[in-house]
Amino acid sequence: MPLDVVRLRVLVAVARAGTVTAAARELHYSQPSVSHHLARLEAETGAKLVQRAGRGIRLTEAGRLLAERGAEILGRLDAASAELSAHVGLRAGRVRLAAFPSALGTFVPAAAARLADDHPGLDLRLMEAEPPEALRLLRAGRVDAAVVFRYGESGPDDDTDDDTDNDTEDDGVRLVHLLDDPSLLVTSAAHDGAGDLAAYADGPWIAGCERCRAHLLALCAEAGFEPRVSFTTDDYVAVQAMVAAGLGVTVLPRLALSAHRHPGVRVTELPGSTRRVYAATYGEPPDPPATTALVAALRSRRDG
């Protein structure tokens, strides 16, 4: 029997909210209505989806599986609805973009302004997300495009012709190259310092979270040492303030310095260390007109 979309949306809401009460509040349903939809969904699927846990409920393994797939299905349905609206001559509709912080602080606002000028009927929604989360949102249909980056050690094939702006990942994510963003060694301007990593091998370093510091660790390993990380933050404004105060040194991409430059820091470009920034879309081409217009706006403003 085909799955009922309304009941599937209820199950996804319960999984996301954690309780029937919270899901009912999110959906503007009564609690008995949520329970009824869950019971009917179990009857339709022939699977036990929820079970009692104390005074509440929890999803079974089958329930978690269906909720995960359901979130993807509902995301694609919502995206299809937005795409259909966008087809009406780009006079109406919605287009959603996820981008990492330094992109949102530099070239994305200019692209958004260009899109608004060219297509004033479009409703652009912006969301901050680091590349892994942005790609998850993209695959789930919760955004229509994402601005992401790849370092040379983890990116798509960088040996392609420089005039080729399009790459495709194995899972259906399509990439349009926007710009190259070099890495910069950031040190305090109050001290005369060398411009290479090894000169700071014995000093304190400032790094991002465990997930975000992989590139820094790789650069230091190439220079022959493991950095002693004394401070951890993903806030590039705070990072520069710490460096300016002499609390350590760090490596940041140029976009972060373009978004905010502390007057008390000195920067030195690190040769051969560049991340490639892309606009990512998902699924078979062509993209919906609204998404195509968004990517075109990003490409037109890619130099910041």
Side-chain angles (χ1 to χ4, degrees), residues 259-274:
H260 170 80
R261 173 71 179 267
H262 193 290
V265 302
R266 183 195 314 275
V267 300
T268 305
E269 185 170 330
L270 297 174
S273 177
T274 299

Side-chain angles (χ1 to χ4, degrees), residues 52-57:
R52 292 286 179 187
R55 306 177 92 178
I57 64 168

Side-chain angles (χ1 to χ4, degrees), residues 71-158:
E72 296 176 7
I73 292 168
L74 294 172
R76 301 314 295 174
L77 285 173
D78 291 343
S81 177
E83 290 168 6
L84 185 61
S85 297
H87 271 283
V88 186
L90 292 177
R91 294 189 300 272
R94 176 189 65 185
V95 63
R96 302 159 299 174
L97 175 69
F100 55 90
S102 57
L104 287 173
T106 51
F107 65 90
V108 169
R114 172 67 179 270
L115 186 68
D117 287 342
D118 292 345
H119 307 288
L122 276 182
D123 177 17
L124 173 63
R125 308 286 178 90
L126 297 176
M127 180 185 307
E128 179 182 311
E130 294 291 346
E133 176 61 17
L135 290 175
R136 283 193 290 271
L137 294 170
L138 182 65
R139 294 185 184 104
R142 293 176 59 189
V143 297
D144 306 294
V147 176
V148 299
F149 60 81
R150 293 284 189 272
Y151 286 101
E153 62 267 23
S154 62
D157 185 3
D158 283 345

Side-chain angles (χ1 to χ4, degrees), residues 199-215:
Y200 302 92
D202 297 326
W205 285 76
I206 303 165
C209 67
E210 294 292 337
R211 179 176 59 81
C212 301
R213 66 179 64 172
H215 183 59

Side-chain angles (χ1 to χ4, degrees), residues 214-287:
H215 183 59
L216 170 63
L217 296 179
L219 288 175
C220 292
E222 289 178 7
F225 70 98
E226 181 178 347
R228 174 166 58 87
V229 177
S230 299
F231 300 94
T232 299
T233 177
D234 291 323
D235 184 334
Y236 51 77
V237 176
V239 168
Q240 292 181 58
M242 291 180 184
V243 171
L247 299 179
V249 299
T250 194
V251 171
L252 289 175
R254 178 181 287 168
L255 280 178
L257 276 297
S258 297
H260 170 80
R261 173 71 179 267
H262 193 290
V265 302
R266 183 195 314 275
V267 300
T268 305
E269 185 170 330
L270 297 174
S273 177
T274 299
R275 67 181 185 179
R276 292 170 67 82
V277 179
Y278 298 91
T281 57
Y282 183 74
E284 292 295 324
D287 290 317

